[in-house]
Amino acid sequence: MYNKYSKKAQEFIDDKEILDTIQWVKDNINNKQLISEVLEKAKQLKGIDHREALLLLECPFEDLNNKMYDLAKYIKNKIYGKRVVLFAPIYLSNYCVNGCVYCAYNHKNKDIPRRKLTQEEIANEVKVLQDMGHKRLALELGEDPVNNSIDYVLESIKTIYSIKHKNGAIRRVNVNIAATTVENYKKLKEAEIGTYILFQETYNKENYEKLHPYGPKHNYDYHTEAMDRAMEAGLDDVGIGVLFGLNMYKYDFVGLLMHAEHLEAVMGVGPHTVSVPRIKDGNNIDSSKYSDAISDELFKKIIAILRITMPYAGIIVSTRESQQVRAETLEVGVSQISGGSKTSVGGYTTAPEEKTEQFSITDERTLEEIVEWLLKLGYVPSFCTACYKEGRTGDRFMQLAKSGQIVNCCNPNSLITLKEYAENYALDNTKNIANKVINEELETIPNEKVKNLTRKYLEEICDGKQDFRF
Ligand code: SF4
Ligand code: SF4
């Protein structure tokens, strides 16, 4: 029985409610009046529910779809302005005891060399990432209680935060590790991680179990209830996601939204971020056998509706996607992208070794190229990590976001961190464009006090100081 307040996976992700939602949408798909009312409701920036969201996703009317895209662009612009936050993944180990059939790191894949970084190797990777200009990392590793123990994860986080190479510093480490216990989540909290990220892959229990045939990840309930345990442990910024292409997309789209509604209902705050990876080839992984892979057009529509449904959640698209898809999805909702990424263990310091990649990358540009591209598209690339440092997490962050006040922090912070990037890492051409954008955007800060302080910080960055924030 569907109950979003329940702590049981199969009640807050109720199979019948998802199937009923799909049927309800089929029954109402020609109801233009109803679709228009949903769009009208969404204009209030308070989100819409999973039934309304699927109705928009399935909407066959071109005029209403155009209105939907306009609304997504309006919401994106109103809440995020021109800012795009940048990050990079860092792969620590590809040892894994699970059997995820879509992942090159699955235990039975004997063709992939297994590797786990030492703390020294991690430090070297971090130096390379710092030299690119990164401030925000997403830590990735397989599930293996022996090779990738929680102590190894904690030690690695400590190493990452400790490296101060030239002007560099990693200021936020988001962590993507397997579902674990409240006790371990508390340890991650103490280690001062940013967002705890865990993808559901698919919300359909039967398919989930087939796709994860053995290993701890086989346990659907334990995996699906992980965010409740993480939040109970005090990790109030959590990131959810599904791997599109594994199951029928409508089912997973609705499941994803029901998961977000559950967290909001029970914990008082929804997910901090939502990721929308699409399945890609990897070592011994042929993505073409997944018949439910979604088209670029549908992918863009999904992102636009996620933006409408969860106006305040960051939406992340990785380098799995092409430059063109990233450009189109940035317009309708994406707020964070990775840049200069390597998806293999030790990928930043060792020669390209395709065999250890978890999945193949489509956007292979350097961070510098991505920053320049974003600037030319009219965006402000941001390396901001201020909220965690200022204690703006969980419901405190959401209150500020929903009241619109967070913009007073995000905008100046994006300029400050872009300035740091321009001064310390950018080539001349990018630096010139960045400085032009910074000067223009500075004038648009409405609050005189904030504007003057930002100006002062920008000048001090030119004198070699850094780490200013609002
Ligand atoms: Fe292991 Fe994660 Fe790959 Fe599954 S998706 S095989 S848990 S690394
Ligand atoms: Fe993100 Fe907070 Fe920085 Fe805004 S101020 S970009 S919400 S970290």
Side-chain angles (χ1 to χ4, degrees), residues 194-225:
T195 309
Y196 171 61
I197 303 159
L198 183 68
F199 300 158
Q200 181 65 28
E201 325 295 7
T202 177
Y203 284 92
N204 182 288
K205 184 170 183 287
E206 204 184 320
N207 273 349
Y208 179 94
E209 286 167 353
K210 277 190 206 144
L211 291 161
H212 307 98
Y214 57 86
K217 196 168 170 181
H218 179 71
N219 187 333
Y220 174 87
D221 289 353
Y222 189 73
H223 189 88
T224 311
E225 292 160 9

PDB file of all heavy atoms in Angstrom, residues 194-225:
ATOM      1  N   GLY A 194      30.565  16.427   1.504  1.00  0.00           N
ATOM      2  CA  GLY A 194      29.489  17.287   1.021  1.00  0.00           C
ATOM      3  C   GLY A 194      28.226  16.462   0.867  1.00  0.00           C
ATOM      4  O   GLY A 194      27.597  16.078   1.852  1.00  0.00           O
ATOM      5  N   THR A 195      27.896  16.121  -0.357  1.00  0.00           N
ATOM      6  CA  THR A 195      26.677  15.344  -0.617  1.00  0.00           C
ATOM      7  C   THR A 195      26.994  13.845  -0.608  1.00  0.00           C
ATOM      8  O   THR A 195      28.032  13.428  -1.128  1.00  0.00           O
ATOM      9  CB  THR A 195      26.111  15.718  -2.008  1.00  0.00           C
ATOM     10  OG1 THR A 195      26.005  17.136  -2.083  1.00  0.00           O
ATOM     11  CG2 THR A 195      24.745  15.098  -2.240  1.00  0.00           C
ATOM     12  N   TYR A 196      26.090  13.064  -0.007  1.00  0.00           N
ATOM     13  CA  TYR A 196      26.199  11.609  -0.150  1.00  0.00           C
ATOM     14  C   TYR A 196      25.348  11.207  -1.355  1.00  0.00           C
ATOM     15  O   TYR A 196      24.151  11.482  -1.401  1.00  0.00           O
ATOM     16  CB  TYR A 196      25.720  10.876   1.117  1.00  0.00           C
ATOM     17  CG  TYR A 196      25.632   9.390   0.873  1.00  0.00           C
ATOM     18  CD1 TYR A 196      26.766   8.656   0.534  1.00  0.00           C
ATOM     19  CD2 TYR A 196      24.408   8.714   0.904  1.00  0.00           C
ATOM     20  CE1 TYR A 196      26.694   7.305   0.252  1.00  0.00           C
ATOM     21  CE2 TYR A 196      24.326   7.358   0.634  1.00  0.00           C
ATOM     22  CZ  TYR A 196      25.477   6.657   0.307  1.00  0.00           C
ATOM     23  OH  TYR A 196      25.397   5.327   0.017  1.00  0.00           O
ATOM     24  N   ILE A 197      25.992  10.556  -2.297  1.00  0.00           N
ATOM     25  CA  ILE A 197      25.326  10.223  -3.568  1.00  0.00           C
ATOM     26  C   ILE A 197      25.157   8.708  -3.673  1.00  0.00           C
ATOM     27  O   ILE A 197      26.105   7.952  -3.421  1.00  0.00           O
ATOM     28  CB  ILE A 197      26.191  10.699  -4.767  1.00  0.00           C
ATOM     29  CG1 ILE A 197      26.467  12.199  -4.662  1.00  0.00           C
ATOM     30  CG2 ILE A 197      25.522  10.370  -6.090  1.00  0.00           C
ATOM     31  CD1 ILE A 197      27.688  12.634  -5.469  1.00  0.00           C
ATOM     32  N   LEU A 198      23.977   8.295  -4.026  1.00  0.00           N
ATOM     33  CA  LEU A 198      23.763   6.864  -4.305  1.00  0.00           C
ATOM     34  C   LEU A 198      22.644   6.746  -5.331  1.00  0.00           C
ATOM     35  O   LEU A 198      21.530   7.217  -5.107  1.00  0.00           O
ATOM     36  CB  LEU A 198      23.367   6.114  -3.021  1.00  0.00           C
ATOM     37  CG  LEU A 198      23.190   4.605  -3.195  1.00  0.00           C
ATOM     38  CD1 LEU A 198      24.520   3.912  -3.482  1.00  0.00           C
ATOM     39  CD2 LEU A 198      22.547   3.974  -1.968  1.00  0.00           C
ATOM     40  N   PHE A 199      22.956   6.109  -6.443  1.00  0.00           N
ATOM     41  CA  PHE A 199      21.937   5.952  -7.479  1.00  0.00           C
ATOM     42  C   PHE A 199      21.152   4.676  -7.238  1.00  0.00           C
ATOM     43  O   PHE A 199      21.702   3.654  -6.833  1.00  0.00           O
ATOM     44  CB  PHE A 199      22.567   5.887  -8.881  1.00  0.00           C
ATOM     45  CG  PHE A 199      23.344   7.120  -9.249  1.00  0.00           C
ATOM     46  CD1 PHE A 199      24.327   7.077 -10.222  1.00  0.00           C
ATOM     47  CD2 PHE A 199      23.103   8.331  -8.615  1.00  0.00           C
ATOM     48  CE1 PHE A 199      25.056   8.206 -10.570  1.00  0.00           C
ATOM     49  CE2 PHE A 199      23.815   9.469  -8.946  1.00  0.00           C
ATOM     50  CZ  PHE A 199      24.795   9.397  -9.922  1.00  0.00           C
ATOM     51  N   GLN A 200      19.881   4.772  -7.571  1.00  0.00           N
ATOM     52  CA  GLN A 200      19.011   3.612  -7.415  1.00  0.00           C
ATOM     53  C   GLN A 200      19.142   2.671  -8.611  1.00  0.00           C
ATOM     54  O   GLN A 200      18.830   1.511  -8.518  1.00  0.00           O
ATOM     55  CB  GLN A 200      17.562   4.092  -7.259  1.00  0.00           C
ATOM     56  CG  GLN A 200      16.543   2.994  -7.065  1.00  0.00           C
ATOM     57  CD  GLN A 200      16.732   2.243  -5.768  1.00  0.00           C
ATOM     58  OE1 GLN A 200      17.235   2.798  -4.794  1.00  0.00           O
ATOM     59  NE2 GLN A 200      16.341   0.979  -5.744  1.00  0.00           N
ATOM     60  N   GLU A 201      19.580   3.200  -9.718  1.00  0.00           N
ATOM     61  CA  GLU A 201      19.676   2.491 -11.006  1.00  0.00           C
ATOM     62  C   GLU A 201      18.282   2.228 -11.562  1.00  0.00           C
ATOM     63  O   GLU A 201      17.926   2.754 -12.591  1.00  0.00           O
ATOM     64  CB  GLU A 201      20.498   1.180 -10.920  1.00  0.00           C
ATOM     65  CG  GLU A 201      21.687   1.197  -9.953  1.00  0.00           C
ATOM     66  CD  GLU A 201      22.811   2.160 -10.312  1.00  0.00           C
ATOM     67  OE1 GLU A 201      22.651   2.950 -11.244  1.00  0.00           O
ATOM     68  OE2 GLU A 201      23.858   2.135  -9.624  1.00  0.00           O
ATOM     69  N   THR A 202      17.472   1.386 -10.901  1.00  0.00           N
ATOM     70  CA  THR A 202      16.069   1.242 -11.288  1.00  0.00           C
ATOM     71  C   THR A 202      15.227   1.049 -10.028  1.00  0.00           C
ATOM     72  O   THR A 202      15.685   0.460  -9.055  1.00  0.00           O
ATOM     73  CB  THR A 202      15.837   0.061 -12.251  1.00  0.00           C
ATOM     74  OG1 THR A 202      14.422  -0.032 -12.498  1.00  0.00           O
ATOM     75  CG2 THR A 202      16.316  -1.253 -11.687  1.00  0.00           C
ATOM     76  N   TYR A 203      14.014   1.555 -10.081  1.00  0.00           N
ATOM     77  CA  TYR A 203      13.115   1.416  -8.923  1.00  0.00           C
ATOM     78  C   TYR A 203      12.219   0.181  -9.039  1.00  0.00           C
ATOM     79  O   TYR A 203      11.474  -0.122  -8.122  1.00  0.00           O
ATOM     80  CB  TYR A 203      12.248   2.677  -8.769  1.00  0.00           C
ATOM     81  CG  TYR A 203      13.047   3.817  -8.169  1.00  0.00           C
ATOM     82  CD1 TYR A 203      13.716   4.726  -8.979  1.00  0.00           C
ATOM     83  CD2 TYR A 203      13.165   3.957  -6.796  1.00  0.00           C
ATOM     84  CE1 TYR A 203      14.471   5.753  -8.431  1.00  0.00           C
ATOM     85  CE2 TYR A 203      13.921   4.977  -6.233  1.00  0.00           C
ATOM     86  CZ  TYR A 203      14.570   5.875  -7.063  1.00  0.00           C
ATOM     87  OH  TYR A 203      15.319   6.877  -6.507  1.00  0.00           O
ATOM     88  N   ASN A 204      12.287  -0.515 -10.154  1.00  0.00           N
ATOM     89  CA  ASN A 204      11.463  -1.715 -10.316  1.00  0.00           C
ATOM     90  C   ASN A 204      12.162  -2.897  -9.639  1.00  0.00           C
ATOM     91  O   ASN A 204      13.225  -3.338 -10.085  1.00  0.00           O
ATOM     92  CB  ASN A 204      11.258  -2.001 -11.807  1.00  0.00           C
ATOM     93  CG  ASN A 204      10.367  -3.200 -12.027  1.00  0.00           C
ATOM     94  OD1 ASN A 204      10.771  -4.336 -11.785  1.00  0.00           O
ATOM     95  ND2 ASN A 204       9.156  -2.945 -12.459  1.00  0.00           N
ATOM     96  N   LYS A 205      11.535  -3.406  -8.576  1.00  0.00           N
ATOM     97  CA  LYS A 205      12.209  -4.401  -7.728  1.00  0.00           C
ATOM     98  C   LYS A 205      12.627  -5.643  -8.513  1.00  0.00           C
ATOM     99  O   LYS A 205      13.740  -6.146  -8.369  1.00  0.00           O
ATOM    100  CB  LYS A 205      11.290  -4.783  -6.562  1.00  0.00           C
ATOM    101  CG  LYS A 205      11.914  -5.724  -5.559  1.00  0.00           C
ATOM    102  CD  LYS A 205      11.036  -5.844  -4.326  1.00  0.00           C
ATOM    103  CE  LYS A 205      11.684  -6.719  -3.267  1.00  0.00           C
ATOM    104  NZ  LYS A 205      11.685  -8.140  -3.589  1.00  0.00           N
ATOM    105  N   GLU A 206      11.708  -6.127  -9.347  1.00  0.00           N
ATOM    106  CA  GLU A 206      12.001  -7.357 -10.079  1.00  0.00           C
ATOM    107  C   GLU A 206      13.206  -7.165 -11.014  1.00  0.00           C
ATOM    108  O   GLU A 206      14.140  -7.962 -11.030  1.00  0.00           O
ATOM    109  CB  GLU A 206      10.760  -7.722 -10.896  1.00  0.00           C
ATOM    110  CG  GLU A 206      10.667  -9.177 -11.229  1.00  0.00           C
ATOM    111  CD  GLU A 206       9.472  -9.431 -12.127  1.00  0.00           C
ATOM    112  OE1 GLU A 206       8.408  -8.818 -11.895  1.00  0.00           O
ATOM    113  OE2 GLU A 206       9.649 -10.221 -13.077  1.00  0.00           O
ATOM    114  N   ASN A 207      13.177  -6.076 -11.757  1.00  0.00           N
ATOM    115  CA  ASN A 207      14.302  -5.794 -12.651  1.00  0.00           C
ATOM    116  C   ASN A 207      15.565  -5.499 -11.871  1.00  0.00           C
ATOM    117  O   ASN A 207      16.665  -5.883 -12.280  1.00  0.00           O
ATOM    118  CB  ASN A 207      13.991  -4.590 -13.544  1.00  0.00           C
ATOM    119  CG  ASN A 207      13.275  -5.018 -14.793  1.00  0.00           C
ATOM    120  OD1 ASN A 207      13.188  -6.202 -15.100  1.00  0.00           O
ATOM    121  ND2 ASN A 207      12.732  -4.063 -15.513  1.00  0.00           N
ATOM    122  N   TYR A 208      15.396  -4.785 -10.769  1.00  0.00           N
ATOM    123  CA  TYR A 208      16.553  -4.440  -9.929  1.00  0.00           C
ATOM    124  C   TYR A 208      17.290  -5.716  -9.526  1.00  0.00           C
ATOM    125  O   TYR A 208      18.522  -5.800  -9.615  1.00  0.00           O
ATOM    126  CB  TYR A 208      16.078  -3.673  -8.685  1.00  0.00           C
ATOM    127  CG  TYR A 208      17.202  -3.294  -7.755  1.00  0.00           C
ATOM    128  CD1 TYR A 208      17.817  -2.056  -7.841  1.00  0.00           C
ATOM    129  CD2 TYR A 208      17.671  -4.207  -6.795  1.00  0.00           C
ATOM    130  CE1 TYR A 208      18.874  -1.720  -7.007  1.00  0.00           C
ATOM    131  CE2 TYR A 208      18.723  -3.890  -5.963  1.00  0.00           C
ATOM    132  CZ  TYR A 208      19.325  -2.639  -6.068  1.00  0.00           C
ATOM    133  OH  TYR A 208      20.376  -2.326  -5.240  1.00  0.00           O
ATOM    134  N   GLU A 209      16.514  -6.710  -9.108  1.00  0.00           N
ATOM    135  CA  GLU A 209      17.146  -7.952  -8.634  1.00  0.00           C
ATOM    136  C   GLU A 209      17.816  -8.709  -9.779  1.00  0.00           C
ATOM    137  O   GLU A 209      18.851  -9.344  -9.592  1.00  0.00           O
ATOM    138  CB  GLU A 209      16.114  -8.808  -7.904  1.00  0.00           C
ATOM    139  CG  GLU A 209      15.798  -8.208  -6.531  1.00  0.00           C
ATOM    140  CD  GLU A 209      14.571  -8.802  -5.868  1.00  0.00           C
ATOM    141  OE1 GLU A 209      13.860  -9.595  -6.508  1.00  0.00           O
ATOM    142  OE2 GLU A 209      14.326  -8.433  -4.697  1.00  0.00           O
ATOM    143  N   LYS A 210      17.241  -8.604 -10.978  1.00  0.00           N
ATOM    144  CA  LYS A 210      17.868  -9.265 -12.134  1.00  0.00           C
ATOM    145  C   LYS A 210      19.167  -8.547 -12.527  1.00  0.00           C
ATOM    146  O   LYS A 210      20.148  -9.163 -12.912  1.00  0.00           O
ATOM    147  CB  LYS A 210      16.916  -9.216 -13.336  1.00  0.00           C
ATOM    148  CG  LYS A 210      15.877 -10.313 -13.321  1.00  0.00           C
ATOM    149  CD  LYS A 210      15.156 -10.311 -14.661  1.00  0.00           C
ATOM    150  CE  LYS A 210      13.765 -10.893 -14.479  1.00  0.00           C
ATOM    151  NZ  LYS A 210      12.748 -10.262 -15.319  1.00  0.00           N
ATOM    152  N   LEU A 211      19.143  -7.238 -12.440  1.00  0.00           N
ATOM    153  CA  LEU A 211      20.317  -6.446 -12.840  1.00  0.00           C
ATOM    154  C   LEU A 211      21.436  -6.509 -11.809  1.00  0.00           C
ATOM    155  O   LEU A 211      22.586  -6.200 -12.100  1.00  0.00           O
ATOM    156  CB  LEU A 211      19.912  -4.978 -13.052  1.00  0.00           C
ATOM    157  CG  LEU A 211      19.008  -4.738 -14.266  1.00  0.00           C
ATOM    158  CD1 LEU A 211      18.280  -3.406 -14.147  1.00  0.00           C
ATOM    159  CD2 LEU A 211      19.816  -4.782 -15.555  1.00  0.00           C
ATOM    160  N   HIS A 212      21.065  -6.894 -10.580  1.00  0.00           N
ATOM    161  CA  HIS A 212      22.049  -7.009  -9.491  1.00  0.00           C
ATOM    162  C   HIS A 212      21.941  -8.424  -8.925  1.00  0.00           C
ATOM    163  O   HIS A 212      21.407  -8.629  -7.842  1.00  0.00           O
ATOM    164  CB  HIS A 212      21.756  -5.957  -8.407  1.00  0.00           C
ATOM    165  CG  HIS A 212      21.653  -4.568  -8.974  1.00  0.00           C
ATOM    166  ND1 HIS A 212      20.462  -3.967  -9.265  1.00  0.00           N
ATOM    167  CD2 HIS A 212      22.613  -3.692  -9.339  1.00  0.00           C
ATOM    168  CE1 HIS A 212      20.691  -2.759  -9.781  1.00  0.00           C
ATOM    169  NE2 HIS A 212      21.988  -2.574  -9.837  1.00  0.00           N
ATOM    170  N   PRO A 213      22.430  -9.410  -9.685  1.00  0.00           N
ATOM    171  CA  PRO A 213      22.126 -10.804  -9.364  1.00  0.00           C
ATOM    172  C   PRO A 213      22.772 -11.338  -8.087  1.00  0.00           C
ATOM    173  O   PRO A 213      22.309 -12.336  -7.544  1.00  0.00           O
ATOM    174  CB  PRO A 213      22.632 -11.568 -10.589  1.00  0.00           C
ATOM    175  CG  PRO A 213      23.579 -10.659 -11.278  1.00  0.00           C
ATOM    176  CD  PRO A 213      23.186  -9.271 -10.942  1.00  0.00           C
ATOM    177  N   TYR A 214      23.835 -10.724  -7.614  1.00  0.00           N
ATOM    178  CA  TYR A 214      24.461 -11.197  -6.370  1.00  0.00           C
ATOM    179  C   TYR A 214      25.190 -10.040  -5.710  1.00  0.00           C
ATOM    180  O   TYR A 214      25.303  -8.934  -6.279  1.00  0.00           O
ATOM    181  CB  TYR A 214      25.435 -12.366  -6.641  1.00  0.00           C
ATOM    182  CG  TYR A 214      26.519 -12.022  -7.625  1.00  0.00           C
ATOM    183  CD1 TYR A 214      27.701 -11.405  -7.224  1.00  0.00           C
ATOM    184  CD2 TYR A 214      26.365 -12.296  -8.992  1.00  0.00           C
ATOM    185  CE1 TYR A 214      28.686 -11.066  -8.133  1.00  0.00           C
ATOM    186  CE2 TYR A 214      27.349 -11.959  -9.905  1.00  0.00           C
ATOM    187  CZ  TYR A 214      28.508 -11.340  -9.470  1.00  0.00           C
ATOM    188  OH  TYR A 214      29.489 -10.995 -10.367  1.00  0.00           O
ATOM    189  N   GLY A 215      25.694 -10.301  -4.523  1.00  0.00           N
ATOM    190  CA  GLY A 215      26.398  -9.253  -3.769  1.00  0.00           C
ATOM    191  C   GLY A 215      25.421  -8.457  -2.922  1.00  0.00           C
ATOM    192  O   GLY A 215      24.198  -8.574  -3.092  1.00  0.00           O
ATOM    193  N   PRO A 216      25.948  -7.631  -1.998  1.00  0.00           N
ATOM    194  CA  PRO A 216      25.073  -6.874  -1.098  1.00  0.00           C
ATOM    195  C   PRO A 216      24.081  -5.974  -1.836  1.00  0.00           C
ATOM    196  O   PRO A 216      22.981  -5.734  -1.347  1.00  0.00           O
ATOM    197  CB  PRO A 216      26.055  -6.016  -0.284  1.00  0.00           C
ATOM    198  CG  PRO A 216      27.412  -6.544  -0.551  1.00  0.00           C
ATOM    199  CD  PRO A 216      27.383  -7.404  -1.767  1.00  0.00           C
ATOM    200  N   LYS A 217      24.472  -5.527  -3.018  1.00  0.00           N
ATOM    201  CA  LYS A 217      23.578  -4.599  -3.740  1.00  0.00           C
ATOM    202  C   LYS A 217      22.311  -5.300  -4.247  1.00  0.00           C
ATOM    203  O   LYS A 217      21.349  -4.642  -4.663  1.00  0.00           O
ATOM    204  CB  LYS A 217      24.348  -3.949  -4.907  1.00  0.00           C
ATOM    205  CG  LYS A 217      23.675  -2.708  -5.470  1.00  0.00           C
ATOM    206  CD  LYS A 217      24.611  -1.950  -6.399  1.00  0.00           C
ATOM    207  CE  LYS A 217      23.894  -0.848  -7.163  1.00  0.00           C
ATOM    208  NZ  LYS A 217      24.795  -0.128  -8.077  1.00  0.00           N
ATOM    209  N   HIS A 218      22.314  -6.623  -4.224  1.00  0.00           N
ATOM    210  CA  HIS A 218      21.124  -7.380  -4.648  1.00  0.00           C
ATOM    211  C   HIS A 218      19.910  -7.046  -3.775  1.00  0.00           C
ATOM    212  O   HIS A 218      18.764  -7.150  -4.228  1.00  0.00           O
ATOM    213  CB  HIS A 218      21.432  -8.882  -4.566  1.00  0.00           C
ATOM    214  CG  HIS A 218      20.275  -9.746  -4.954  1.00  0.00           C
ATOM    215  ND1 HIS A 218      19.834  -9.857  -6.260  1.00  0.00           N
ATOM    216  CD2 HIS A 218      19.435 -10.524  -4.207  1.00  0.00           C
ATOM    217  CE1 HIS A 218      18.794 -10.684  -6.310  1.00  0.00           C
ATOM    218  NE2 HIS A 218      18.523 -11.096  -5.075  1.00  0.00           N
ATOM    219  N   ASN A 219      20.164  -6.620  -2.540  1.00  0.00           N
ATOM    220  CA  ASN A 219      19.074  -6.372  -1.578  1.00  0.00           C
ATOM    221  C   ASN A 219      18.381  -5.033  -1.886  1.00  0.00           C
ATOM    222  O   ASN A 219      18.848  -3.961  -1.510  1.00  0.00           O
ATOM    223  CB  ASN A 219      19.659  -6.364  -0.159  1.00  0.00           C
ATOM    224  CG  ASN A 219      18.584  -6.289   0.898  1.00  0.00           C
ATOM    225  OD1 ASN A 219      17.489  -5.771   0.662  1.00  0.00           O
ATOM    226  ND2 ASN A 219      18.890  -6.812   2.073  1.00  0.00           N
ATOM    227  N   TYR A 220      17.255  -5.122  -2.573  1.00  0.00           N
ATOM    228  CA  TYR A 220      16.528  -3.922  -3.036  1.00  0.00           C
ATOM    229  C   TYR A 220      16.133  -3.019  -1.871  1.00  0.00           C
ATOM    230  O   TYR A 220      16.318  -1.799  -1.927  1.00  0.00           O
ATOM    231  CB  TYR A 220      15.292  -4.364  -3.822  1.00  0.00           C
ATOM    232  CG  TYR A 220      14.376  -3.234  -4.249  1.00  0.00           C
ATOM    233  CD1 TYR A 220      14.588  -2.550  -5.449  1.00  0.00           C
ATOM    234  CD2 TYR A 220      13.280  -2.847  -3.466  1.00  0.00           C
ATOM    235  CE1 TYR A 220      13.755  -1.511  -5.854  1.00  0.00           C
ATOM    236  CE2 TYR A 220      12.442  -1.811  -3.862  1.00  0.00           C
ATOM    237  CZ  TYR A 220      12.682  -1.150  -5.053  1.00  0.00           C
ATOM    238  OH  TYR A 220      11.853  -0.124  -5.449  1.00  0.00           O
ATOM    239  N   ASP A 221      15.573  -3.614  -0.826  1.00  0.00           N
ATOM    240  CA  ASP A 221      15.073  -2.786   0.286  1.00  0.00           C
ATOM    241  C   ASP A 221      16.227  -2.040   0.960  1.00  0.00           C
ATOM    242  O   ASP A 221      16.129  -0.845   1.244  1.00  0.00           O
ATOM    243  CB  ASP A 221      14.347  -3.644   1.332  1.00  0.00           C
ATOM    244  CG  ASP A 221      13.008  -4.145   0.804  1.00  0.00           C
ATOM    245  OD1 ASP A 221      12.612  -3.705  -0.301  1.00  0.00           O
ATOM    246  OD2 ASP A 221      12.367  -4.968   1.476  1.00  0.00           O
ATOM    247  N   TYR A 222      17.317  -2.761   1.221  1.00  0.00           N
ATOM    248  CA  TYR A 222      18.456  -2.145   1.914  1.00  0.00           C
ATOM    249  C   TYR A 222      19.014  -0.975   1.093  1.00  0.00           C
ATOM    250  O   TYR A 222      19.353   0.080   1.632  1.00  0.00           O
ATOM    251  CB  TYR A 222      19.545  -3.195   2.154  1.00  0.00           C
ATOM    252  CG  TYR A 222      20.660  -2.711   3.058  1.00  0.00           C
ATOM    253  CD1 TYR A 222      20.450  -2.549   4.432  1.00  0.00           C
ATOM    254  CD2 TYR A 222      21.920  -2.406   2.542  1.00  0.00           C
ATOM    255  CE1 TYR A 222      21.469  -2.093   5.261  1.00  0.00           C
ATOM    256  CE2 TYR A 222      22.938  -1.954   3.371  1.00  0.00           C
ATOM    257  CZ  TYR A 222      22.712  -1.803   4.725  1.00  0.00           C
ATOM    258  OH  TYR A 222      23.717  -1.346   5.543  1.00  0.00           O
ATOM    259  N   HIS A 223      19.077  -1.185  -0.211  1.00  0.00           N
ATOM    260  CA  HIS A 223      19.601  -0.135  -1.098  1.00  0.00           C
ATOM    261  C   HIS A 223      18.628   1.051  -1.158  1.00  0.00           C
ATOM    262  O   HIS A 223      19.036   2.211  -1.049  1.00  0.00           O
ATOM    263  CB  HIS A 223      19.811  -0.722  -2.497  1.00  0.00           C
ATOM    264  CG  HIS A 223      20.532   0.189  -3.435  1.00  0.00           C
ATOM    265  ND1 HIS A 223      21.903   0.230  -3.532  1.00  0.00           N
ATOM    266  CD2 HIS A 223      20.079   1.127  -4.313  1.00  0.00           C
ATOM    267  CE1 HIS A 223      22.260   1.136  -4.428  1.00  0.00           C
ATOM    268  NE2 HIS A 223      21.169   1.697  -4.911  1.00  0.00           N
ATOM    269  N   THR A 224      17.350   0.756  -1.304  1.00  0.00           N
ATOM    270  CA  THR A 224      16.361   1.830  -1.495  1.00  0.00           C
ATOM    271  C   THR A 224      16.178   2.654  -0.221  1.00  0.00           C
ATOM    272  O   THR A 224      15.836   3.834  -0.285  1.00  0.00           O
ATOM    273  CB  THR A 224      15.015   1.222  -1.959  1.00  0.00           C
ATOM    274  OG1 THR A 224      15.284   0.322  -3.041  1.00  0.00           O
ATOM    275  CG2 THR A 224      14.041   2.280  -2.425  1.00  0.00           C
ATOM    276  N   GLU A 225      16.388   2.036   0.926  1.00  0.00           N
ATOM    277  CA  GLU A 225      16.230   2.752   2.205  1.00  0.00           C
ATOM    278  C   GLU A 225      17.536   3.435   2.654  1.00  0.00           C
ATOM    279  O   GLU A 225      17.588   4.024   3.740  1.00  0.00           O
ATOM    280  CB  GLU A 225      15.747   1.762   3.288  1.00  0.00           C
ATOM    281  CG  GLU A 225      14.318   1.276   3.026  1.00  0.00           C
ATOM    282  CD  GLU A 225      13.969  -0.022   3.753  1.00  0.00           C
ATOM    283  OE1 GLU A 225      14.779  -0.465   4.596  1.00  0.00           O
ATOM    284  OE2 GLU A 225      12.908  -0.595   3.455  1.00  0.00           O
TER     285      GLU A 225
END
